[in-house]
Amino acid sequence: MGVDLLTGTRAYRRRLDLTRPVARQDLLECLEIATHAPSGTNRQPWRFVVVQDPELKQRIGEYYRKGFAAYLAARTPRPDQLADLASGQYLADHMHEVPALVLVCSLGRPPVEPSALRLASFYGSIYPAVWNFLLALRDRGLGSTMTTAHLVYEREVAELLGIPEDVTQVALLPVAHLLPGNDAPARKRTPAAELTGWDGWIADGGAAP
Ligand SMILES: Cc1cc2nc3c(=O)[nH]c(=O)nc-3n(C[C@H](O)[C@H](O)[C@H](O)COP(=O)(O)O)c2cc1C
């Protein structure tokens, strides 16, 4: 794995090939790589549900669309976020057509009395596995986007798929082969030097994103 895999893996939406099926073996290999992520005391809390059934995808796609609309309605985007949101809307409109929807779940529920430590332990033990999975996909010419908008309807999706009440969904990952295209030129990020303090907090608080 090279640095370009780490710096070039993007949120893929319009480049998802909606017509080409994704092999179960490819998904399983990438999920295997996901399981090598770190987790607190090596709990390995991840569970995965792969959805390929058209009717189930249709139902989940509807929940996602409604969740994304609620997310959009609740915010006033900055001008530099408009392109991302348009691409987000594209994905919302096509979620049900993506060949495989991978739902990443974590055993347990988020802490009822949250503290910085408990929250870090809960969510920090699952998102590294999500990122491992996304990197493994891209390494094989597949792609996805981390999405969470369906979580407004977490319970409804849990009932649809038989996910127990004490399990938490953390991400819905639409997986497809990547259409040919400009392969993820490194997107502008604030340089680390502007975000890093040495022996103390950054002098000006760090540049706003
Ligand atoms: C916690 C989290 C939740 C996200 N939820 C959504 C989502 O619901 N829908 C979506 O289209 N993108 C979602 N994204 C993707 C971000 O928009 C994307 O990672 C960001 O814009 C950077 O994109 P880039 O890597 O292509 O530059 C989410 C990302 C993260 C980390």
Side-chain angles (χ1 to χ4, degrees):
M1 183 173 77
V3 170
D4 62 328
L5 186 64
L6 296 172
T7 59
T9 299
R10 296 271 75 85
Y12 297 105
R13 301 184 183 95
R14 294 184 200 274
R15 280 191 59 204
L16 300 177
D17 187 339
L18 304 177
T19 62
R20 184 173 165 197
V22 173
R24 194 174 272 208
Q25 187 57 30
D26 281 339
L27 290 168
L28 211 47
E29 283 174 21
C30 294
L31 291 171
E32 191 67 42
I33 288 168
T35 69
H36 287 270
S39 60
T41 57
N42 197 25
R43 286 189 287 118
Q44 305 174 58
W46 35 75
R47 296 293 182 272
F48 311 103
V49 182
V50 180
V51 181
Q52 292 180 299
D53 175 78
E55 228 165 276
L56 289 173
K57 287 197 299 178
Q58 189 75 41
R59 297 281 304 278
I60 293 169
E62 279 161 27
Y63 287 127
Y64 183 83
R65 248 188 319 283
K66 285 201 284 179
F68 190 75
Y71 167 78
L72 280 188
R75 57 180 297 157
T76 313
R78 296 191 314 260
D80 63 295
Q81 293 173 323
L82 291 175
D84 262 350
L85 291 177
S87 137
Q89 185 62 58
Y90 170 87
L91 179 60
D93 292 338
H94 294 276
M95 184 63 94
H96 61 290
E97 297 168 57
V98 180
L101 302 182
V102 176
L103 198 56
V104 182
C105 303
S106 181
L107 296 182
R109 295 297 300 173
V112 184
E113 289 175 32
S115 67
L117 176 62
R118 286 186 188 145
L119 281 172
S121 174
F122 186 81
Y123 284 107
S125 290
I126 189 71
Y127 281 116
V130 173
W131 188 232
N132 260 18
F133 180 66
L134 295 174
L135 292 175
L137 288 175
R138 174 137 183 282
D139 202 35
R140 285 164 174 71
L142 296 158
S144 187
T145 289
M146 160 103 87
T147 84
T148 46
H150 87 282
L151 290 177
V152 180
Y153 298 98
E154 185 193 8
R155 222 31 19 242
E156 287 81 352
V157 171
E159 276 164 28
L160 188 65
L161 301 174
I163 297 171
E165 277 185 19
D166 58 352
V167 166
T168 303
Q169 297 164 47
V170 301
L172 176 65
L173 308 174
V175 179
H177 286 273
L178 285 179
L179 292 166
N182 197 4
D183 199 17
R187 199 153 126 200
K188 190 148 175 21
R189 294 289 204 261
T190 307
E194 295 174 25
L195 307 171
T196 307
W198 304 92
D199 296 326
W201 185 244
I202 319 149
D204 63 357

